[in-house]
Amino acid sequence: MTTPAAVIVDAAAYAQAVEDAVKASAAYYEGGASPLDDDTYDRLVRGIAAYEAEHPEQVLPDSPTGKVAGGAVQGDVPHTVAMLSLDNVFSPEEFTAWTASLARRIGHDVEQFSVEPKLDGLAIAARYTRGRLTRLVTRGDGTAGEDVSHAIGTIEGLPDELAEPVTVEVRGEVLMTTAQFEHGNEVRTAHGGQPFANPRGAAAGTLRAKERAYTVPMTFFGYGLLPVPGTETALAEQLLERAHSDLMAQAAAYGVNTTASAAVPGITADTVEQVLARVSEIAALRAELPFGIDGVVIKADLAADQQVAGSGSRAPRWAVAYKLPAVEKITRLLEVEWNVGRTGIIAPRAVLEPVTIDGATITYATLHNPADITRRDLRLGDHVMVHRAGDVIPRIEAPVASLRTGDEQPIVFPEVCPRCGSAIDTSEQRWRCENGRNCHLVAALSYAAGRDQLDIEGLGTTRVVQLVEAGLVADLADLFTLTRDQLLGLERMGETSTDNLLAAIAAAKDQPLSRVLCALGVRGTGRSMSRRIARYFATMDHIRAADTETLQQVEGIGTEKAPAIVAELADLAPLIDKLAAAGVNMTEPGTTPPRATAADSGDEESGASEENEPAGPLAGMTVVVTGAMTGPLEKLSRNQMNELIERASGRASSSVSKKTTLVVAGENAGSKRARAETLGIRLATPDEFAVLIADFLD
Ligand code: IVH
């Protein structure tokens, strides 16, 4: 969907719009932070173009329309062949119309397309002389660019020397991957510099900066290979005749990184349908890519088609950019909230001036931890670049330092726990209330009683507050020793509710170990991890006896998580003992303990309990459930579905990726089903799935 063009009503508004656009585009291309985000800039330029179409006599010479880089930049190194921009399309219909007009121009349908990600960095020409990288030139105004050869050696994917001693020019995009950007801003702020607002600005600024005390790596992706006029005529002729996809293979053979080896590689396609399918695929993968893309570039792949189509002054006619919705917007940071989680973690959250990104209104963004705020040098009132792609929680990329007015205020970190007022443990990156999970006893108990944990009906938050306030429970185990008289003494507790609650609590004692473990709220151990641990160890005693090394036998537990779990379980030991003494079940039905763990003899051999069990029908499969379940599965909650999958030896996951083997799609399944279709993953209806795991249904 295209956002509407800015509406320009008169000549004065037009002149102002041109001035704003030129300023923004200069900042953009020079690596400063533009006061307009991409979307706003696009709308402004479309508004300018619309006004000019109505009033051709008023067109100002500075107008950005029809110019490469909006006319903002000039350079002094002439390009051998103009470095052009691309025309944009925004929908399948616009793309189809574009192919039709290209077909008319060349006299037949395009035989083969190439489809590749549109990398969000900046264009650069890299000249190689007899195989050595001799010059780097920015795009500039398209006819001449700026010499940035000082950046040679800092750009991954652009080797100093090619595998063959050829004289060629490689064109492509220089960018910072998300990781390079994070690292770059850290290094920069550590040197007293202001953070860059986003990876694109960071790449532009870094590329142009000379004589910095530090280097920040960038990455190159080639998307063009051309001869250098006047040299090696045989090679030159050959290059001019080869298809774009061939040239990419040739560049890769020379040792250059290209779009063909990007995380979403460029491919060729024969039909418009295939192109559009690839566009959808790339769009679906966008949020997970290690670098930013702002669209998909589609090119006529064959040299003959390109030559016949030719180029205009601004853009070639044989290529087009299919723009994807913007994922970044600038808004203001209004406030930082400090929320205390179930386990006492004190987490900052950014409150933003509401901003719409790709159709969603964003009001909050994650800030991770206090160190993260300091590292990003964020201040209240700052303009911030907010990034949101797919279903991922929006994040603040960085403040837009150039828009500071001086009125921004430092973000105040809490000195005591904002929930209970006790001291804060700041020894780790994530701050924690020293009261730990007691700080949040109510939240912790409500969570433990929840449907996916101990499933104690009648024990909602209101009831838990009552119990805590009356001093009847100080920890989870106290629930199991509540007496009838104690409950009857509470307000709004009649005989029936009391008996029902006592029965529900008694029933909770028989929950499987996986749910008891989950109810304890061990950090990093949610529902599925609790199930995996319980299935591996079979009894609480075995879990408690496990050292960090043994714990790492469980899928998903690595060197970081294992010691944290061991430490938490040690902390929880008195509570676990109290629960066991109250008669709470501490075993996982249907599993057997590992053959040898630290709990047993000193026997070296150890093995997963699963090895002793026959494999279920989902062995080796990763299954995602989406939509409403029907038939025999109708009553199962998502958590119960996941339990079922794991009982049948599968792995339950909540997101569809290339690793997913099966998607169980019920009624009203939405994006996950679509994604499974895009990725070609097997789909099953709830009924089909019920047949598959029939032996495991209770
Ligand atoms: S081809 C003559 N391919 O997008 C054809 N450009 O908005 C020129 N870009 O100036 C470009 N990824 O900086 C091409 N795979 C890709 C690209 C790509 C990013 C940039 C390039 C270009 C701009 C136009």
Side-chain angles (χ1 to χ4, degrees):
M1 266 286 296
T2 322
T3 38
V7 178
I8 297 172
V9 288
D10 57 20
Y14 167 71
Q16 184 65 54
V18 169
E19 192 185 320
D20 289 350
V22 169
K23 227 187 269 167
S25 123
Y28 183 88
Y29 285 97
E30 281 159 23
S34 161
L36 307 179
D37 48 56
D38 288 1
D39 212 31
T40 317
Y41 176 78
D42 263 8
R43 289 177 47 206
L44 189 64
V45 174
R46 276 185 279 124
I48 291 173
Y51 185 85
E52 289 173 351
E54 294 275 311
H55 308 92
E57 74 291 349
Q58 290 180 23
V59 174
L60 290 169
D62 274 356
S63 168
T65 57
K67 289 184 188 150
V68 170
V73 267
Q74 279 157 5
D76 49 11
V77 184
H79 290 298
T80 51
V81 177
M83 276 184 94
L84 298 179
S85 191
L86 289 170
D87 286 332
N88 296 328
V89 293
F90 295 89
S91 65
E93 295 72 33
E94 285 181 26
F95 175 69
T96 309
W98 176 82
T99 51
S101 81
L102 178 56
R104 275 196 301 279
R105 188 172 275 275
I106 64 176
H108 57 83
D109 282 348
V110 174
E111 245 172 79
Q112 181 162 295
F113 295 99
S114 80
V115 193
E116 45 191 54
K118 183 171 185 313
L119 304 149
D120 196 9
L122 51 152
I124 200 159
R127 296 190 190 162
Y128 283 91
T129 314
R130 288 180 295 283
R132 290 205 72 86
L133 181 53
T134 44
R135 206 159 204 199
L136 286 183
V137 186
T138 65
R139 185 172 67 168
D141 67 357
T143 54
E146 190 180 339
D147 190 325
V148 287
S149 304
H150 54 266
I152 290 177
T154 65
I155 306 174
E156 285 168 25
L158 203 52
D160 288 352
E161 190 151 7
L162 296 180
E164 288 178 41
V166 283
T167 298
V168 289
E169 182 168 306
V170 185
R171 290 182 177 181
E173 203 82 349
V174 173
L175 53 75
M176 277 194 195
T177 62
T178 314
Q180 284 173 333
F181 168 66
E182 300 280 340
H183 168 73
N185 263 356
E186 250 172 67
V187 174
R188 190 169 156 84
T189 42
H191 279 83
Q194 291 200 317
F196 284 118
N198 63 358
R200 196 195 171 285
T206 305
L207 191 63
R208 301 177 86 244
K210 287 184 192 148
E211 291 162 27
R212 267 211 196 129
Y214 52 92
T215 47
V216 180
M218 293 173 281
T219 303
F220 178 81
F221 286 97
Y223 52 65
L225 176 63
L226 39 155
V228 173
T231 49
E232 298 194 57
T233 23
L235 175 70
E237 269 174 32
Q238 212 196 70
L239 290 182
L240 291 174
E241 279 167 17
R242 292 173 71 176
H244 173 72
S245 50
D246 268 0
L247 292 175
M248 292 300 93
Q250 179 63 72
Y254 287 154
V256 172
N257 197 32
T258 72
T259 46
S261 52
V264 269
I267 57 159
T268 56
D270 298 333
T271 64
V272 171
E273 290 69 36
Q274 284 172 8
V275 171
L276 291 174
R278 183 63 180 164
V279 170
S280 306
E281 268 171 26
I282 294 179
L285 293 170
R286 185 182 193 187
E288 289 150 36
L289 295 178
F291 45 77
I293 63 170
D294 59 346
V296 179
V297 181
I298 300 121
K299 303 171 182 172
D301 194 49
L302 304 185
D305 288 354
Q306 292 185 4
Q307 277 154 21
V308 180
S311 296
S313 67
R314 198 190 82 93
R317 295 193 197 91
W318 46 267
V320 78
Y322 191 121
K323 293 283 281 224
L324 296 176
V327 288
E328 277 181 354
K329 281 277 180 75
I330 295 172
T331 186
R332 289 183 65 219
L333 172 62
L334 301 179
E335 217 184 303
V336 173
E337 287 179 355
W338 298 86
N339 298 316
V340 189
R342 201 163 30 82
T343 56
I345 295 283
I346 302 170
R349 180 165 83 153
V351 183
L352 306 169
E353 203 165 84
V355 61
T356 310
I357 305 184
D358 191 12
T361 305
I362 312 298
T363 342
Y364 298 104
T366 155
L367 281 173
H368 306 295
N369 54 55
D372 186 57
I373 294 177
T374 311
R375 198 170 47 235
R376 284 165 203 266
D377 185 25
L378 282 171
R379 303 177 199 169
L380 291 182
D382 256 338
H383 283 84
V384 289
M385 188 66 85
V386 179
H387 181 104
R388 174 199 179 258
D391 297 331
V392 180
I393 302 172
R395 63 165 195 264
I396 289 184
E397 255 178 344
V400 186
S402 60
L403 295 181
R404 283 195 173 140
T405 59
D407 291 339
E408 294 74 20
Q409 296 299 316
I411 293 169
V412 182
F413 292 176
E415 285 175 2
V416 294
C417 169
R419 170 169 282 272
C420 71
S422 37
I424 301 177
D425 173 0
T426 58
S427 60
E428 291 187 35
Q429 281 222 333
R430 301 212 293 170
W431 289 9
R432 196 161 180 236
C433 168
E434 282 197 341
N435 237 340
R437 61 195 70 243
N438 272 345
C439 167
H440 226 170
L441 184 59
V442 170
L445 291 180
S446 308
Y447 174 78
R451 185 170 153 185
D452 294 338
Q453 286 70 246
L454 296 178
D455 195 15
I456 306 177
E457 217 181 309
L459 197 56
T461 307
T462 326
R463 191 70 78 211
V464 172
V465 170
Q466 238 185 335
L467 291 172
V468 171
E469 282 181 356
L472 295 181
V473 287
D475 64 29
L476 180 59
D478 287 345
L479 284 180
F480 297 97
T481 49
L482 283 171
T483 65
R484 196 164 188 274
D485 287 344
Q486 283 175 327
L487 290 177
L488 281 172
L490 296 174
E491 264 178 52
R492 301 183 307 279
M493 275 302 270
E495 300 219 340
T496 317
S497 343
T498 299
D499 290 338
N500 288 347
L501 182 56
L502 282 172
I505 293 175
K509 289 184 186 172
D510 298 329
Q511 289 287 7
L513 173 63
S514 50
R515 283 170 168 253
V516 175
L517 182 61
C518 189
L520 287 171
V522 178
R523 271 186 290 175
T525 310
R527 289 168 302 196
S528 76
M529 180 60 80
S530 298
R531 284 197 295 273
R532 262 179 270 153
I533 296 175
R535 291 186 65 75
Y536 185 87
F537 290 103
T539 73
M540 182 63 98
D541 285 345
H542 281 92
I543 300 177
R544 292 170 74 179
D547 55 17
T548 51
E549 213 168 293
T550 318
L551 262 181
Q552 287 176 52
Q553 301 293 319
V554 178
E555 195 197 333
I557 300 186
T559 47
E560 234 171 86
K561 212 168 228 182
I565 295 178
V566 168
E568 287 229 11
L569 284 172
D571 263 7
L572 289 165
L575 177 61
I576 299 173
D577 289 339
K578 207 168 150 189
L579 286 167
V584 174
N585 168 53
M586 294 286 165
T587 60
E588 186 70 2
T591 60
T592 44
R595 277 195 296 279
T597 67
D600 302 330
S601 62
D603 196 341
E604 285 287 307
E605 193 188 323
S606 85
S609 56
E610 281 95 324
E611 285 174 15
N612 301 335
E613 290 169 38
L618 303 180
M621 294 173 70
T622 299
V623 185
V624 175
V625 179
T626 181
M629 292 300 104
T630 45
L633 307 176
E634 186 177 351
K635 294 228 157 52
L636 299 191
S637 68
R638 198 59 94 228
N639 186 53
Q640 287 170 319
M641 282 296 291
N642 292 343
E643 288 175 336
L644 177 61
I645 291 164
E646 286 168 17
R647 275 205 303 279
S649 311
R651 188 172 144 62
S653 166
S654 57
S655 59
V656 178
S657 74
K658 277 185 276 182
K659 290 191 194 129
T660 311
T661 359
L662 177 69
V663 173
V664 184
E667 277 170 23
N668 299 325
S671 62
K672 291 186 191 175
R673 183 200 176 99
R675 190 158 154 73
E677 279 169 356
T678 316
L679 295 175
I681 291 163
R682 182 178 153 200
L683 284 159
T685 63
D687 283 338
E688 287 162 356
F689 186 66
V691 173
L692 189 64
I693 42 79
D695 290 348
F696 292 80
L697 274 171
D698 293 329

